[in-house]
Amino acid sequence: MNIRRGVVEDAAVLADLARTTFYDAFAASNDPTDMAVHLQRAYGVSQQAGELQDPGIATLLVEKDGKAIAYAQIRDHHIPDCVKGPAPIELWRFYVDRGWHGQGIAQALMDGVKSEARRRGARTLWLGVWEHNARARAFYAKSGFADVGEHIFLFGSDPQTDRVMTTML
Ligand SMILES: CC(C)(COP(=O)(O)OP(=O)(O)OC[C@H]1O[C@@H](n2cnc3c(N)ncnc32)[C@H](O)[C@@H]1OP(=O)(O)O)[C@@H](O)C(=O)NCCC(=O)NCCS
């Protein structure tokens, strides 16, 4: 397994992985129209190329035998009021291909995320996770994150409640 920073040449691979992992995680528990709207808005070669070239976003890609199997993105962005720690940065997206869940990929990627966040001068890592995403919430708790509040995430036309979690770096 290899973890590296994404570059613009990874846009097509990242778009495909990001779209697939999001769909696999949330299609069964959400309205198909909201899912279609969100996929169209968020994922595509031009969207991910823009993110890979944005200096305010860092993308980490995990590869196994040359195939991308997980990714994470951190970004400088709006900070919810409930995030009180110093020098915060957002863990924006964190996704492992479903064939690789429960095999330690997520822990290795989280270690990489924390190193990258520290390298960028952050001291607090925060994230929003859907209140009904029990597996991710359990994973973040075992990775040292604590629940500090909530914010609203607009999924298509559906305003959903995300738990906000933070950890010190
Ligand atoms: C969230 C994610 C990155 C975690 O990676 P993972 O490899 O599945 O994580 P782990 O298996 O190490 O840890 C998950 C924990 O949740 C537990 N768990 C599994 N299903 C659960 C459930 N339905 N409810 C509560 N806990 C659950 C597991 O037992 C494990 O805890 P343990 O190690 O103490 O046994 C991965 O599941 C994923 O990519 N999910 C889809 C995308 C996603 O939801 N991303 C987060 C968006 S905010």
Side-chain angles (χ1 to χ4, degrees):
M1 178 186 62
N2 177 46
I3 303 183
R4 65 173 175 85
R5 255 180 236 125
V7 292
V8 69
E9 288 75 17
D10 297 314
V13 165
L14 179 61
D16 187 44
L17 178 66
R19 187 186 169 86
T20 302
T21 50
F22 189 91
Y23 183 86
D24 288 349
F26 302 118
S29 41
N30 284 283
D31 177 79
T33 306
D34 288 327
M35 176 59 78
V37 168
H38 184 80
L39 292 180
Q40 169 116 21
R41 241 184 233 158
Y43 305 116
V45 176
S46 64
Q47 289 95 318
Q48 273 64 62
E51 293 161 8
L52 288 160
Q53 292 176 98
D54 184 336
I57 298 174
T59 301
L60 294 181
L61 270 179
V62 182
E63 293 166 323
K64 178 90 177 156
D65 300 328
K67 188 178 184 312
I69 58 167
Y71 80 102
Q73 290 177 307
I74 57 178
R75 65 174 177 177
D76 296 318
H77 194 60
H78 162 79
I79 315 290
D81 290 342
C82 56
V83 174
K84 305 288 187 204
I89 197 165
E90 181 182 11
L91 175 50
W92 180 30
R93 293 173 173 153
F94 191 89
Y95 289 83
V96 175
D97 185 85
R98 68 176 161 190
W100 291 94
H101 291 180
Q103 296 185 53
I105 304 293
Q107 281 88 344
L109 181 57
M110 182 59 79
D111 289 346
V113 161
K114 288 179 176 175
S115 298
E116 179 66 20
R118 279 189 210 102
R119 202 186 62 79
R120 294 168 77 94
R123 293 181 55 210
T124 304
L125 187 61
W126 75 271
L127 59 86
V129 53
W130 190 29
E131 59 181 339
H132 301 303
N133 190 349
R135 182 166 193 143
R137 289 177 67 179
F139 172 76
Y140 294 136
K142 88 175 172 182
S143 303
F145 287 80
D147 188 305
V148 295
E150 63 184 46
H151 74 171
I152 300 299
F153 172 75
L154 190 63
F155 179 70
S157 61
D158 178 16
Q160 300 190 340
T161 301
D162 274 3
R163 301 310 308 170
V164 174
M165 303 181 81
T166 65
T167 189
M168 289 299 290
L169 291 166

